[in-house]
Amino acid sequence: MSRDTAINDSPVHRRRVDVAIVGGGMAGASLALMLAHHCPELRVALLEQKPLPAGGEQPVLPSFDTRATALAAGSLQIFEQLGLWSELSGYCAPIREIHVSDRGCGLGARLSALRETRAQFRGIFGAVVENAALGPVLYRALAETRVEVLAPAEVQRVTFDDSGADMKWCDGAGRAQHLKTALLVAADGVDSVMCRQLGIEAERVDYRQRALVATVGLQRAHGGVAYERFTDSGPMALLPLPDREGVHRAALVWTCDEEAADALCALESDAFVARVQKAFGWRAGRLVRAGAVASYRLSLSLAREQWRRNLVLVGNCAHFLHPVAGQGFNLTLRDCDALAQVLSGRGSDLLAQNSRAALDLLESYGRGRQRDQQLTIGFSDRVPALFASDNPLLRSSRQLGLLAMNVVPPLRASFLSQAAGFGL
Ligand SMILES: Cc1cc2nc3c(=O)[nH]c(=O)nc-3n(C[C@H](O)[C@H](O)[C@H](O)COP(=O)(O)OP(=O)(O)OC[C@H]3O[C@@H](n4cnc5c(N)ncnc54)[C@H](O)[C@@H]3O)c2cc1C
C-alpha cells in the first residue's frame, strides 16, 4: 500500500486533470478504480490528506480501521467486474445464511442462499471483509492503474470557474500546491470540508446511539452464518470473519444508547464478552474472547445537494447511514459504479467548457440514483427504529414480520433484494 507522494516538479499552476477525487477512503479509492476501469481515457487524481502507510503497517485512514464490512452480493459483482474479486475473496468470509431474530419473543427468520437464488452471488448472500484488509487490496489495485495518488495531500480551498475547479492543497512538507480539474468529486467523509466550503448543508438526525465494534472469538465455526439479533439492549450483528491462527472469529456490531455504550467500553475483555453472550444468547455457541472495542456515534446525514456543475459528492459525504443494516458502503459502491458508467465514453462532454452536455451527464447520474438511495436510506433508518421500540403495537408487528418472512416468499424476497444491494 506504500506509495510515494506523486508531486510533479513542473510549475504547479499548469497541472490539470479531468477528475480529481478528494478523500482516499473506501468511497474515493473505489471510485478511482472504477474510473480507471470504465473511463481509461480520463486523467484521474486521488488526493488523500493522510499519508498512506508502508506495507505491513496499520492503515491510518479512517475507513480502514478495525471495522469489518458486510459486502452485499451486488457489491461482490461490482468488485468482480473490476477484476478484484479473486484477490479480495482471499480476505473474505462468505455469508451463506442470515438469521434475523428478536430475542424478546424467540421468533426468527432463517434465510439460506441455497434457496434464495435471486439475491446471491455465486451461491452466497455476500461476504465480510475486515476494513484493514480491504484498504491494501484497493490501493494495490490502484498502483496498477494510471490514477495519480497524491498523499499526503490536504485540499484546503476550492474555487470554480467555467473550466472546472481550482484546488489549493498542501503536501506533506507543508508546501501549497494547485490542481485544476474538470470534475471535482468530494469523498472526504461525513464532516466534509468540501461541503462546508461550498455551502452544501446536510439534513441530520442524531440517533443518540453508538455502535460498538469488536472482533470476537467463537468456540465453534460460524459456518458462514450472519446473525442480526434484536435485543433489549439494542440490535446486534454478528458477522462471520475468516479464521485467524486457528481461531474462529466474528465481527460484532452492537448498537446501544450512549450511556450503555460508555459502561460497556469501560469493561475488561472477559466481562465484555460475558455481556455480549448474555445479550446475544447462544445461537452462535460460546463466545470466547474479544479484541479492542471501538465506538462510533450514529446519525443519519444526507447532503441537500449531491451534484452541481463540475461537482459530485460520494460516500459518507453524500449520505451517512445507520450501520445496523450494513448498507452504507454497498450503496456508495452502487453510486460510484453508476457515476463511472455514466462518464464512460463521454470524456469529451465532461471536458467541454461550460457545456450543457457536461451538466446533463451529472444530472442523469443524480436522477438515476434517487430511487435506490431513497429505498436504501429508508430501509436503514426504519429497521433500527422498529426494533428499538418497546411500543406493544410495534413489538407485535415486528414479531408478525419475522413470522411472515418465514412463510411468505415475496416478503422475504423484498427484504433480500434490498439487503443484497442489487438496488431492485
Ligand atoms: C460501525 C460501522 C459499521 C459499518 N458497517 C458497514 C457494513 O457492514 N456494510 C456497509 O456497506 N457499510 C458499512 N458501514 C459504512 C461504511 O463504513 C462507510 O460507507 C464508509 O466508511 C464510507 O467511507 P468514505 O470513504 O465515504 O468516508 P471516510 O472513511 O470518512 O473517508 C474520507 C477520507 O477523506 C479524507 N479527507 C478528509 N478531508 C480531506 C481533505 N480536505 N483533503 C484530502 N482528504 C481528505 C480522510 O482522511 C478520509 O481518508 C459501516 C459504518 C460504521 C460506522
Side-chain angles (χ1 to χ4, degrees), residues 22-28 47-50 61-63 67-71 131 153-156 187-190 193-194 211 213 239 253 296-298 314-317 320-321 323 326-332:
V22 180
M26 286 158 88
L47 295 93
E48 166 55 47
Q49 66 181 358
K50 303 247 161 95
L61 307 191
S63 266
R67 269 171 295 174
T69 296
L71 296 169
N131 292 19
E154 183 192 356
V155 179
Q156 297 180 323
D188 57 338
V190 70
V193 173
M194 295 298 98
V213 171
L239 307 171
V253 185
Y296 299 83
R297 282 184 192 288
L298 299 183
V314 297
N316 282 349
C317 156
F320 181 78
L321 316 187
Q327 297 278 319
F329 182 54
N330 290 303
L331 179 62
T332 288

Side-chain angles (χ1 to χ4, degrees), residues 9 59 67 82 118 126 128 139 147 163 172 218 231 298 323 337 364 413 424:
D9 286 336
R67 269 171 295 174
L82 295 176
R118 240 182 109 212
V128 186
Y139 274 89
V147 172
S163 64
L218 305 172
T231 75
L298 299 183
D337 183 55
S364 92
L424 301 173

Side-chain angles (χ1 to χ4, degrees), residues 42-90:
L42 293 178
R43 289 168 302 167
V44 178
L46 176 67
L47 295 93
E48 166 55 47
Q49 66 181 358
K50 303 247 161 95
L52 298 176
E57 285 174 30
Q58 273 297 354
V60 290
L61 307 191
S63 266
F64 308 123
D65 60 10
T66 57
R67 269 171 295 174
T69 296
L71 296 169
S75 299
L76 301 187
Q77 221 165 59
I78 290 175
F79 279 123
E80 187 182 47
Q81 276 162 16
L82 295 176
L84 278 186
W85 176 236
S86 57
E87 188 186 355
L88 191 58
S89 60

Side-chain angles (χ1 to χ4, degrees), residues 101-104 229-236 254 279-280 387:
S101 56
D102 186 344
R103 184 125 209 257
R229 191 130 168 84
F230 296 91
T231 75
D232 290 342
S233 31
M236 301 173 98
W254 188 355
F280 183 82
F387 281 90

